[in-house]
Amino acid sequence: MIRVRWLAALTMAGAVLVGCAGEQGPPAGPAPARTKAGPPPGTAAPTLAAGPGGAAPVFDRSAVPADRSAKTVALTFDADMTADQGPRAARGEHFDNPALIDTLRTLSVPATVFMTGRWAEEYPEQAKSIGADPLFEVANHSYSHHAFKEPCYGLPALAAPDMKADVDRAFAAFRTAGVRRVVPYFRFPGGCYDETALRALGPAGVTAVQWDVVGGDAFATDPDAVAEQVLKGVRPGSVVVLHCTRSAAPTTEAAIRTIVPELRRRGYRMVKVSELMRAGR
């Protein structure tokens, strides 16, 4: 029922927030310590079975349900911040987007927020608030927002032995910020991965989540164009990738105010990734 890809080509490359690398180079401070932190124990969120050799499985959309009237779509939002962007935040650049979260709440839109650990450290109160809201679930987008495969849109790359530690460090950052409703899902920065990355993350116990609909909000200036692109691509079971980063995706909140009412008019029900995955099993 669910399509699982081990070495899928990045057909959705245009969705990548190519500017998220910030000032390139190694992350500020010492390399992350290896930690036993991982996904929350006892989570009720469904996951997929591991792949060959224990590799992390990949989910990109649910199969079209037998009942075609069951129109569901998952809107997902990447809260991006790379490990070396602290100085930019200190100078006033906003990597958060509280207006977007407020609009999702006003419109009662369930959503999955793929958050970097560095974002949670920069905005701990917002991270805690998102995780406390039953409308949302928080998933892992790495700690550093560095690439898990090269090349990946100019992002600095992690070595394979450091990949699981980076994911664990993000989960640890969520715990420190008091984030609840954390699910064992992971989104590769830039959407870039290969077999090496999947095998490295197998022991982390996460299901990687990609997408089949590109929001196109990265650096967009026209919210209507973003809305049109999303609405054109959505079909039953879709996963839509958008961003929760004010400085690099400033039109997302306005686009959502068009996307959500139109999806509902077309008979779609918006759900979290966990519900979409559960329905497709």
Side-chain angles (χ1 to χ4, degrees):
M1 293 291 292
I2 296 175
R3 188 169 70 215
V4 181
R5 303 176 303 173
W6 304 113
L7 290 171
L10 279 177
T11 57
M12 301 300 178
V16 175
L17 196 55
V18 291
C20 283
E23 298 90 3
Q24 295 186 19
R34 293 192 179 277
T35 171
K36 295 182 179 179
T43 178
T47 56
L48 303 185
V58 182
F59 175 86
D60 57 9
R61 69 179 299 273
S62 176
V64 177
D67 178 5
R68 286 182 172 271
S69 67
K71 290 183 173 180
T72 54
V73 57
L75 301 182
T76 71
F77 299 88
D78 291 357
D80 294 339
M81 187 172 182
T82 58
D84 58 353
Q85 287 179 329
R88 288 168 56 176
R91 293 194 297 268
E93 186 169 347
H94 295 285
F95 297 94
D96 61 339
N97 195 340
L100 170 62
I101 299 300
D102 287 345
T103 294
L104 293 172
R105 286 172 168 149
T106 298
L107 297 176
S108 298
V109 180
T112 303
V113 178
F114 286 86
M115 188 181 294
T116 67
R118 184 64 187 86
W119 195 99
E121 288 180 348
E122 189 70 26
Y123 306 106
E125 291 305 314
Q126 290 188 55
K128 183 177 180 180
S129 175
I130 291 169
D133 193 324
L135 268 179
F136 307 129
E137 61 189 9
V138 174
N140 195 310
H141 194 33
S142 80
Y143 174 83
S144 63
H145 202 261
H146 287 187
F148 283 62
K149 173 185 178 292
E150 291 187 282
C152 187
Y153 307 97
L155 290 172
L158 290 168
D162 298 326
M163 291 177 181
K164 181 181 179 295
D166 191 79
V167 172
D168 287 345
R169 190 179 181 189
F171 281 125
F174 300 161
R175 290 188 178 94
T176 298
V179 180
R180 298 170 56 199
R181 294 187 174 84
V182 178
V183 290
Y185 303 151
F186 176 74
R187 175 163 286 162
F188 287 100
C192 305
Y193 70 94
D194 56 14
E195 184 178 9
T196 297
L198 292 176
R199 290 185 182 278
L201 295 191
V206 294
T207 293
V209 176
Q210 296 286 93
W211 57 84
D212 67 300
V213 177
V214 175
D217 59 338
F219 306 108
T221 58
D222 182 356
D224 292 335
V226 173
E228 181 180 0
Q229 183 161 320
V230 170
L231 294 168
K232 183 178 179 180
V234 165
R235 51 188 171 139
S238 281
V239 177
V240 180
V241 60
L242 292 159
H243 295 87
C244 184
T245 310
R246 211 182 329 172
S247 63
T251 66
T252 310
E253 186 272 335
I256 283 295
R257 286 189 267 116
T258 297
I259 291 167
V260 169
E262 178 58 21
L263 284 175
R264 286 175 171 158
R265 188 190 70 79
R266 296 181 185 183
Y268 279 91
R269 182 171 63 92
M270 278 143 282
V271 300
K272 304 169 194 174
V273 167
S274 57
E275 182 174 344
L276 192 67
M277 194 179 299
R278 183 176 293 111
R281 296 181 72 174

